[in-house]
Each structure stands twice: as structure tokens, then as C-alpha cells.
Amino acid sequence: MNIAELDQIRHSTAHVMAEAVGELFPGTRFGIGPSIEDGFYYDFDSKHTFTPDDLERIEQRMHEIIAQKRPFTKKVLDRADAKELMKDQPYKLELIDELPEDEEISFYTSGSFTDLCRGPHVDDTGALGHFKLTKLAGAYWHGDSDRPMLQRIYGTAWEDDAQLDEYLTRMEEAEKRDHRKLGRELDLFSFSEEAGAGLPMYHPKGARVMRLLQDWLRAALYERGYVEAITPHVYKSDVWKRSGHWENYRDNMYFFEINDGDEKHPKINEYGIKPMNCPGHLMIYADNLHSYRDLPIRLFEFGTVYRHELSGVVHGLMRARSFTQDDAHIFCRADQVADEVNAMLDLVDYIMNTFGFTYTAELSTRPEKSMGTDETWEFTTSILKDTLDKRGIDYEINEGDGAFYGPKIDIHLRDAIGRTWQCSTIQFDALMPEKFDLEYRTADNTVERPYMLHRAILGSMERFFGILIEHYAGAFPVWLAPVQATIIPISDDQLEAAESVARDLSSAGVRVEIDSSAERMGAKIAKATAQKVPYMLIMGKREIENGVVAVRHRTDGDMGTMKLDEFTELVTSQKPG
């Protein structure tokens, strides 16, 4: 079964769910009910507040409807008749008003439920039945926080029960791996309601993992000819007006006022907290004269940015208001662009292979709200497309989803339990260099503008960290583990020797901690195992006398005794990839 056929099953199941809700909860008003990846949802405006128990009732009624094999029938109405049909459904009336004058207004009916819908649908409800309602959520109408909050019911639907069971098993595993749950259990990060939604606070272990990731990637970038920059977190609004963010991205930014004068001569300026790092890199480039021989210039930064996300869509590390990007901007000549894009895709391949991710790509083209000429967009889009084609990377075209300043390649990775995540992005920008008046001297001593490539490979480091937590179920590879070994003295008599071993291991580059609690050895081992520490070093009287440590692995168990230098080599030899 192809994607289109599966979408029909899911969308048709959404209609059945809406019919069941309408019958069980009279007076409900209906929003929208599309198919989505792995399932569907429908938004409802009901006086009744839905509960998990209601989902069971709705499911039961859906099965009864499906068993009747009710056909889906289509009819087309003119605008006046369509409004008359939906006169008691204000959200549907609004949708009708939003339709272009020349667009067909169609409805699909199944049983007692008629819905404004483009279709298509399955022939009858008998083709359905392999579904499960999964969760409840709130959703603003049209995603606008100034509009009514509706109740959203999510579900999943598949071709047969085997596929449904496989999906539900995968979701159970995903719940066990939830990075928010593991983040608390492993003491990696937290969020504070007092501080505000979407603002992660890294505890020492989480901070260690983030720094390890950055240090590893930093070394790889220096090897590839990048140089590092550090830019401010805020700029005057003049910068954002020049870059185009004021016009195109202002609703996603935070602004505030500062008096840049004094009490006698106040000078109030508006500042914006950066949602992106690019203006700083543009200004760094503009601060010096450049020749064609200087290019390409590859500036990178682990820059923390801030974006105004609605509280309803904030989701742990996966979608935060404060996050750090492994950002870079490459300034190059036209004849260098294809090679630079190709090198970025080499870097993507290296990083994805390091963590065992497979991936696909998506080429996003010019959005409706954009800047620049048709010729510029055609040129920049063709460069990205040609590079993907030559590499043979599997990709899809995502029409109209590019950045406002240029087309982009987005990389979608697949994790250990088969979920896909969008992380890396490569964006072609011929507009920002013009806005910031960037130049370089050619071999003929004339002036040209450089092209600019934006790229982030891990993307949001918060999001990537969350993906890694779930990918590894919290059991990071040894090179990335915040604590690589826990030393467990059997009694306090071995504590002094354990501290000496810890100092030696630390000096050799091993990240180590000592469990000096009064708990029994078995409890200490269980605790270290639950914390996903790769190795436990048991130290009793016999081990100290023999100058060894008894080594346990978090999953493989007892590994026997080792000399300290042997264990050190075991740990430090484990590298990325």
C-alpha cells in the first residue's frame, strides 16, 4: 500500500471519529481532521471536556460504525448552498470563506456525518478498522493564540492489525525512551515553570554531554577549514530591519527597549534578541576587505538563539525557546558554491554515520513570503538540486517551504526505533550579502558580491541531544557518556584507595565518580546500571592487594579484573564512530 492509499485510510478514519464524537456529544462543533504522519487528528469545540475514558467510548462507537460498511459519498455545492448546509458549524463557514472563488466546494457524507472535504476517501467504512485513538491535546484554531482553544483527539490507522500492533509497540518503546523522562532520571536537564516555558537548564551531566558534542564537532570543523566566531545575543532593531528579519520573522522574536543615552539626554533604542546567528557573521565579514584569494571563508559558531514559540508547541528539548545551533556561514565565489555544498553533505554523512543514523533529504523551494528575483531563486535552487542529484541522495521536493532568503536542503535522520527527525539544514542565500553590502576584489581588480551558504549539521543542539537520548535510550556510547566509570568500594576501608584510582583515571582522561554511600554493593551496582554508566569498578581488599579493579559492564556484566592502565586503554580507545 502506498502513502496516498494510507492517507485515505487515515483521513477516512478521522471522519468516522468525528461522526462518533458528534453522536456521543451532541452540539459539538467541528474544526479540521487531516491525516498526518502515522495517523490523523480532529479538532473539536465541545462543551464536554474529553477524558481518556471518553476515548474508549469513541473507539467503541467507531467500530460499530465501521462494521456497518457505510459508503463515503461526494457532492459539490455552490457557495450559498454550502454555507446553508454548514450554518450551525462556524469553523466550517470560516473555511468556506477562505476557499478561492474558483475552487470546487465539495462535501463527503458517511452515515450521519457530512464534512467539508476535498477527499478522496475509501469506498466505505468497511475498509477501515485497524486504528487506535492515542491522545488528547489542545490546539488553537488556525494555530492562532488569539483564537479559540479546541480539543484535539489524535489517532493512528493502518492497513491491517499487524501494522497497527507494530506501530503501537514502537510507540511503547518511544514512551520508555522519552527524553524528558530520561532527562530527569539521569539528571541531565530540567525545566522551571518559574523561569518560563521552553528554557532548558543543563545539570552537570547534561552540560558535560553538550560540551563533548561541541568539542568533537569543533575539532572536525577545524580540520575542514572552518574558523570560529562568537557574536552577541542581542542587536539593535536596525540590524534586524536590514537583514529582513524585522519584516519576515518579527513575530518569532523578542524585543525590548534600552536607554542608550543618560538621564538628561535619553536615547531610547529598541533591541532584538537574536533568533539566528547570521547577521553577526555578515558583519564580521564586512569588517575587513577581502580578495578572491580569501574565499571561501567558513565561519562557525555554537550560537544560542531565542525564538518565540507558543507554549502549546514547546516540547522538552525537541522544541524549545532557547537553543544552541552549530551554525556556520560560508562566503564564497559562484564557482565555489557547488563544491562547498558537496563538502557540507560530506560532513552530514560523517556525522550521521558516527551515530548510526540513516537519512534522506528534502529540497525546499521558494515560499510565498520571500525576497529576491525569480532568476536568483532559479539559480540557487538549481545548484542545490544538481548537487543532490550528483550524489545520488534520496530526496523529495517540498514546494514553498524554503527560507525567505533562499532555498534549502533539510536532512531527515532515522533513529533506532524507526522515527524520522529533521536536523541538518543547508541554505543558499544570494540576498543577505546584498543587504549587508558584502564585497570581494576579483582577479581583475573589480568588485563582486560573495554568495553565502547557511548551514547547521546537528541543527538545534538541544533537539539533537534529545534525539540522542531517545536513540540510545539514555545509554550513551562510552566516548559520549557523562560518567564513564563508577568506582564502587565494598566498604569504607577501600575508600582512600578508590579516591587514588579516581585521581589516576581522571588524569588519564577518564570521566569517573565514586559511590561512597553506605548502601550495599549490590544496590550500588543497580544504581550505576540504572544511571546507564558504561563501567563499574568494584574495589575490595583483594583487588587493592593485587593492584587491579574488578570491572562490570552496564549490559554485559562481569568482565573480570584488569590493571588500571588496561582499563584506561579500554575506555580512552573508544572514539566517535
Side-chain angles (χ1 to χ4, degrees):
M1 176 172 286
N2 61 38
I3 296 297
E5 292 171 326
L6 198 51
D7 279 345
Q8 284 188 36
I9 286 176
R10 290 167 177 165
H11 186 42
S12 300
T13 307
H15 275 232
V16 172
M17 178 175 72
E19 181 178 0
V21 168
E23 291 179 2
L24 292 171
F25 306 100
T28 295
R29 298 187 293 186
F30 301 95
I32 58 173
S35 65
I36 56 175
E37 184 178 6
D38 292 337
F40 59 89
Y41 69 79
Y42 212 112
D43 291 338
F44 303 101
D45 185 350
S46 174
K47 294 180 180 178
H48 177 81
T49 301
F50 299 132
T51 68
D53 289 341
D54 291 325
L55 297 190
E56 295 182 13
R57 293 178 60 199
I58 296 167
E59 279 188 7
Q60 181 179 346
R61 182 57 189 143
M62 289 172 68
H63 282 296
E64 293 169 356
I65 292 170
I66 287 167
Q68 296 172 18
K69 297 184 178 180
R70 298 177 177 180
F72 284 89
T73 58
K74 177 182 177 180
K75 61 182 175 184
V76 177
L77 299 178
D78 62 29
R79 194 168 294 267
D81 288 340
K83 286 191 167 187
E84 176 63 25
L85 181 63
M86 293 286 108
K87 63 184 179 181
D88 296 324
Q89 294 292 332
Y91 302 105
K92 300 298 181 182
L93 290 174
E94 187 174 333
L95 292 173
I96 291 170
D97 286 338
E98 292 170 357
L99 292 173
E101 288 295 330
D102 58 349
E103 183 169 336
E104 174 184 272
I105 304 176
S106 61
F107 295 83
Y108 279 82
T109 299
S110 174
S112 62
F113 183 66
T114 297
D115 201 3
L116 174 70
C117 181
R118 293 188 178 95
H121 285 277
V122 297
D123 292 335
D124 63 65
T125 61
L128 311 176
H130 315 289
F131 73 92
K132 179 71 178 174
L133 302 187
T134 55
K135 64 178 179 179
L136 297 163
Y140 291 112
W141 175 238
H142 276 348
D144 185 345
S145 60
D146 293 329
R147 306 298 301 278
M149 171 69 80
L150 307 183
Q151 298 182 76
R152 177 172 293 180
I153 299 178
Y154 284 95
T156 188
W158 297 85
E159 182 182 6
D160 53 43
D161 282 340
Q163 291 180 4
L164 175 62
D165 291 343
E166 180 184 347
Y167 173 79
L168 293 176
T169 299
R170 195 163 69 244
M171 290 304 100
E172 288 176 9
E173 180 64 25
E175 187 173 352
K176 295 176 188 175
R177 293 169 178 253
D178 188 323
H179 75 283
R180 296 166 298 176
K181 171 177 174 287
L182 289 173
R184 290 190 301 272
E185 293 174 356
L186 301 179
D187 196 24
L188 298 172
F189 62 86
S190 62
F191 291 89
S192 165
E193 290 186 10
E194 182 180 8
L199 303 172
M201 298 184 185
Y202 289 103
H203 299 199
K205 289 180 181 179
R208 176 64 67 89
V209 177
M210 288 288 276
R211 290 293 177 253
L212 288 166
L213 280 171
Q214 289 181 8
D215 290 346
W216 164 70
L217 183 53
R218 180 179 283 110
L221 293 176
Y222 276 126
E223 288 178 3
R224 288 165 171 78
Y226 285 78
V227 289
E228 189 167 9
I230 300 175
T231 59
H233 288 229
V234 300
Y235 299 111
K236 288 168 62 174
S237 295
D238 295 349
V239 171
W240 304 113
K241 291 174 182 177
R242 188 176 188 184
S243 69
H245 288 87
W246 178 275
E247 179 182 355
N248 294 280
Y249 206 74
R250 192 176 192 278
D251 291 344
N252 298 91
M253 295 177 64
Y254 299 99
F255 289 90
F256 59 96
E257 291 184 345
I258 287 181
N259 181 5
D260 285 330
D262 54 38
E263 291 184 3
K264 292 184 177 180
H265 304 92
K267 183 181 180 182
I268 306 301
N269 286 319
E270 188 172 38
Y271 284 73
I273 303 175
K274 68 177 178 180
M276 300 174 187
N277 298 298
C278 32
H281 293 189
L282 286 153
M283 289 186 284
I284 288 173
Y285 180 96
D287 199 46
N288 289 293
L289 299 175
H290 298 283
S291 126
Y292 72 99
R293 296 178 184 273
D294 300 326
L295 305 182
I297 293 173
R298 307 181 185 97
L299 285 177
F300 81 91
E301 176 177 11
F302 292 105
T304 301
V305 298
Y306 305 85
R307 296 182 186 176
H308 179 219
E309 300 281 7
L310 295 174
S311 58
V313 301
V314 168
H315 179 76
L317 298 180
M318 301 303 192
R319 192 158 182 176
R321 288 175 172 172
S322 164
F323 56 94
T324 300
Q325 292 180 308
D326 66 315
D327 219 349
H329 297 90
I330 289 79
F331 303 94
C332 57
R333 306 188 306 265
D335 62 297
Q336 296 171 323
V337 171
D339 287 342
E340 291 302 311
V341 173
N342 197 53
M344 292 176 189
L345 292 172
D346 282 338
L347 183 58
V348 167
D349 200 56
Y350 166 68
I351 289 173
M352 296 304 154
N353 288 337
T354 294
F355 297 103
F357 294 129
T358 57
Y359 64 91
T360 56
E362 185 177 72
L363 175 60
S364 297
T365 59
R366 186 175 190 173
E368 183 176 342
K369 192 174 183 180
S370 61
M371 301 160 56
T373 65
D374 291 341
E375 292 77 14
T376 296
W377 277 87
E378 288 170 9
F379 171 69
T380 54
T381 304
S382 67
I383 289 284
L384 298 184
K385 186 176 186 303
D386 289 348
T387 307
L388 286 171
D389 289 337
K390 288 176 182 176
R391 291 184 70 96
I393 294 178
D394 182 24
Y395 73 94
E396 295 182 355
I397 302 290
N398 187 7
E399 295 288 355
D401 200 41
F404 68 85
Y405 47 74
K408 61 178 181 172
I409 296 170
D410 288 329
I411 299 297
H412 298 263
L413 64 83
R414 186 173 295 274
D415 70 11
I417 58 173
R419 298 169 302 177
T420 57
W421 305 90
Q422 191 274 309
C423 288
S424 308
T425 185
I426 297 170
Q427 303 175 359
F428 197 158
D429 188 349
L431 300 174
M432 291 289 182
E434 180 178 348
K435 284 186 164 292
F436 282 80
D437 198 24
L438 303 191
E439 297 178 344
Y440 69 90
R441 285 281 172 181
T442 69
D444 299 328
N445 205 32
T446 58
V447 173
E448 294 283 350
R449 292 206 189 281
Y451 283 99
M452 178 179 178
L453 294 165
H454 307 242
R455 76 107 189 96
I457 306 301
L458 303 186
S460 157
M461 297 210 56
E462 275 68 14
R463 182 178 174 82
F464 196 78
F465 187 20
I467 292 168
L468 288 182
I469 293 170
E470 298 192 1
H471 179 61
Y472 292 119
F476 295 108
V478 174
W479 73 271
L480 193 56
V483 177
Q484 295 171 314
T486 296
I487 300 174
I488 301 176
I490 293 177
S491 72
D492 287 349
D493 292 340
Q494 291 84 46
L495 188 55
E496 185 177 344
E499 290 171 347
S500 176
V501 167
R503 285 193 295 271
D504 290 343
L505 288 173
S506 249
S507 297
V510 178
R511 299 184 291 278
V512 63
E513 65 181 9
I514 301 172
D515 188 340
S516 58
S517 68
E519 295 178 317
R520 294 186 176 185
M521 184 180 69
K524 293 181 180 182
I525 291 172
K527 178 182 175 183
T529 302
Q531 286 292 299
K532 316 286 188 180
V533 178
Y535 297 105
M536 287 141 273
L537 306 182
I538 315 300
M539 293 187 63
K541 182 179 179 181
R542 182 182 307 170
E543 284 78 19
I544 293 172
E545 289 174 350
N546 295 330
V548 296
V549 288
V551 182
R552 286 185 63 87
H553 187 267
R554 63 186 167 197
T555 56
D556 298 339
D558 185 13
M559 297 177 63
T561 60
M562 295 183 191
K563 293 287 187 181
L564 199 57
D565 57 354
E566 184 182 358
F567 176 74
T568 300
E569 174 62 22
L570 171 67
V571 174
T572 57
S573 64
Q574 299 189 53
K575 305 294 184 184

